[in-house]
Amino acid sequence: MTVRPALEGIFVLELTEHVRGRYCGRLFAELGAHVVRMAQPDSESGGREGLWLDAGKEVVSEPDAGFAAWLGRADVLITDAPDGVAPRAAAAGHPALIAVSVTPFGLSGPWAGREAPDLIISALSGMAGINGYADGMPLREPGQQAEMVGALMGFIGALAALEEREQSGLGQLVESSCLEAMVNVLAPAVVEWSYTGRGPQQRQRGTDMLFQCADGWMSLYITANKAWETIVTVLDVRLEAGDERFASELSRRKHAAAMRDVLEPHLLSRTRKELFDLLSPMRVVVGMVAAPRDLLADEHLAARDAFVRVGADATPIPRVPIRTRGERLKPELMPAGSGSGALPGSGEVPPARVAARAHRGR
């Protein structure tokens, strides 16, 4: 049986310039939708980042005369300008359109309409306040996590709206606020604070359970006594009889420096991979601290086809981490292609969209 991509036949139009909007479109593209991103003529959003964010899309310079025709054919419009003008206008003029707005603060409230990079969202959401060490400054999380989580929420909202349209025939405006998305990431901390008046704090140095080994660093999450006993046995760690410093999780954390002195001679003689392969099957929570170059050589990621190479120099980019029926939906993900803005199908509904609608019984 031929497996259809989940979003085959869905036509998505992007008016985006930021990670938050472009990654939302990327999710649609890799799951089978036809995605056209209309970039501003003076956009600086290409380069290596463009290979990742725009893979699988058609990218065109915004044609003023052709935009209305594109919009009239679209199932989904994705925008990321904070003013929210485009999605509101599009939703009002096209009753069946799903208009998705991914912005820093949403389309209402006192901060609506303001722009904010990932750094600001990290600070305002509370993430920076609990990241880093207690004797240092707050730290932003790496990457573009706030924008990507906001993009994911916009994508999920759009899927729900598409499903609802199957019943009602009507589209709707879908909002995603990057700030609210990150507040949801910290939901357990908010709940803990509301009950106890306490919440997560920045870490104390030496208590983060990171240990050096022969070729880098390992994370050993030594919580349950069973895990500690397994590590001591497998690594042949000799402890003095009656030493109470390591008898419980609390005492081990209290004597973290002494615990390092005991463990590290046994860890420094082994590589990260050796330790991971030795301890992980024994249900010890252990991880190799990886660098980006390690990810490209990772045997597990390779077995799951987690990267695809695009562009003239075969640049590796991560695939969207979603499978259906255990398979990748687009085995070959093409790099972003340029186009003139011509409508697909020469005035007819795109064939893939017709087939998809027939398949769904529309």
Side-chain angles (χ1 to χ4, degrees), residues 242-326:
D243 192 336
E244 295 296 322
R245 294 176 300 171
F246 313 124
S248 67
E249 177 191 355
L250 182 62
S251 61
R252 287 192 291 273
R253 287 189 177 275
K254 183 178 179 180
H255 299 95
M259 183 175 64
R260 289 179 182 280
D261 292 340
V262 167
L263 288 181
E264 284 192 339
H266 301 272
L267 301 176
L268 288 170
S269 63
R270 295 176 171 90
T271 66
R272 293 173 297 169
K273 182 70 164 54
E274 289 171 341
L275 288 165
F276 182 76
D277 289 343
L278 182 64
L279 296 173
S280 184
M282 297 184 176
R283 305 178 71 87
V284 174
V285 182
V286 57
M288 299 176 282
V289 178
R293 64 177 180 275
D294 300 319
L295 302 179
L296 296 173
D298 185 279
E299 61 183 0
H300 180 79
L301 294 175
R304 289 186 54 81
D305 191 26
F307 292 91
V308 62
R309 294 184 178 273
V310 300
D313 57 354
T315 301
I317 63 171
R319 289 183 178 274
V320 168
I322 300 173
R323 293 171 178 243
T324 60
R325 299 184 179 93

Side-chain angles (χ1 to χ4, degrees), residues 15-362:
L15 294 178
T16 61
E17 291 297 322
H18 302 277
V19 170
R20 59 183 183 253
R22 294 167 70 190
Y23 188 65
C24 185
R26 167 71 195 284
L27 292 165
F28 275 99
E30 193 159 339
L31 294 181
H34 177 192
V35 180
V36 175
R37 175 174 173 252
M38 289 185 162
Q40 296 293 336
D42 59 350
S43 174
E44 298 180 357
S45 56
R48 299 279 180 176
E49 186 178 73
L51 285 176
W52 165 54
L53 289 171
D54 294 335
K57 306 176 188 177
E58 182 181 358
V59 180
V60 300
S61 294
E62 185 175 359
D64 294 337
F67 175 70
W70 279 101
L71 186 60
R73 305 290 296 281
D75 294 291
V76 178
L77 171 70
I78 302 172
T79 69
D80 59 12
D83 58 23
V85 172
R88 285 191 175 110
H94 299 82
L97 178 71
I98 310 301
V100 181
S101 172
V102 187
T103 63
F105 302 113
L107 300 182
S108 62
W111 297 346
R114 299 184 187 182
E115 186 56 84
D118 200 272
L119 171 63
I120 301 304
I121 301 300
S122 177
L124 291 172
S125 67
M127 180 64 76
I130 64 173
N131 195 24
Y133 291 107
D135 60 352
M137 66 179 64
L139 292 178
R140 169 198 165 190
E141 77 288 349
Q144 302 288 333
Q145 291 186 36
E147 293 204 49
M148 292 187 68
V149 175
L152 285 166
M153 296 300 104
F155 176 67
I156 292 169
L159 294 182
L162 284 167
E163 178 63 23
E164 195 278 335
R165 191 180 70 172
E166 294 283 335
Q167 307 301 319
S168 70
L170 297 175
Q172 55 186 286
L173 175 62
V174 175
E175 286 187 58
S176 175
S177 156
C178 294
L179 175 60
E180 291 171 51
M182 287 304 285
V183 168
N184 271 268
V185 172
L186 287 177
V190 176
V191 173
E192 181 181 351
W193 183 269
S194 69
Y195 272 90
T196 68
R198 300 186 304 273
Q201 303 292 322
Q202 289 178 300
R203 299 183 299 275
Q204 298 292 329
R205 293 186 185 274
T207 63
D208 47 17
M209 297 299 164
L210 293 173
F211 298 86
Q212 280 189 297
C213 55
D215 62 346
W217 290 83
M218 293 290 298
S219 174
L220 278 175
Y221 198 53
I222 306 169
T223 53
N225 286 334
K226 179 64 176 176
W228 170 253
E229 293 166 2
T230 300
I231 291 170
V232 168
T233 300
V234 171
L235 299 183
D236 194 25
V237 178
R238 304 299 175 87
L239 299 176
E240 294 182 12
D243 192 336
E244 295 296 322
R245 294 176 300 171
F246 313 124
S248 67
E249 177 191 355
L250 182 62
S251 61
R252 287 192 291 273
R253 287 189 177 275
K254 183 178 179 180
H255 299 95
M259 183 175 64
R260 289 179 182 280
D261 292 340
V262 167
L263 288 181
E264 284 192 339
H266 301 272
L267 301 176
L268 288 170
S269 63
R270 295 176 171 90
T271 66
R272 293 173 297 169
K273 182 70 164 54
E274 289 171 341
L275 288 165
F276 182 76
D277 289 343
L278 182 64
L279 296 173
S280 184
M282 297 184 176
R283 305 178 71 87
V284 174
V285 182
V286 57
M288 299 176 282
V289 178
R293 64 177 180 275
D294 300 319
L295 302 179
L296 296 173
D298 185 279
E299 61 183 0
H300 180 79
L301 294 175
R304 289 186 54 81
D305 191 26
F307 292 91
V308 62
R309 294 184 178 273
V310 300
D313 57 354
T315 301
I317 63 171
R319 289 183 178 274
V320 168
I322 300 173
R323 293 171 178 243
T324 60
R325 299 184 179 93
E327 299 294 334
R328 292 286 182 192
L329 296 180
K330 272 194 168 184
E332 298 298 328
L333 186 65
M334 300 303 293
S338 61
S340 62
L343 287 168
S346 301
E348 300 295 330
V349 176
R353 189 171 168 190
V354 173
R357 285 183 169 179
H359 181 70
R360 294 169 185 151
R362 286 181 176 179

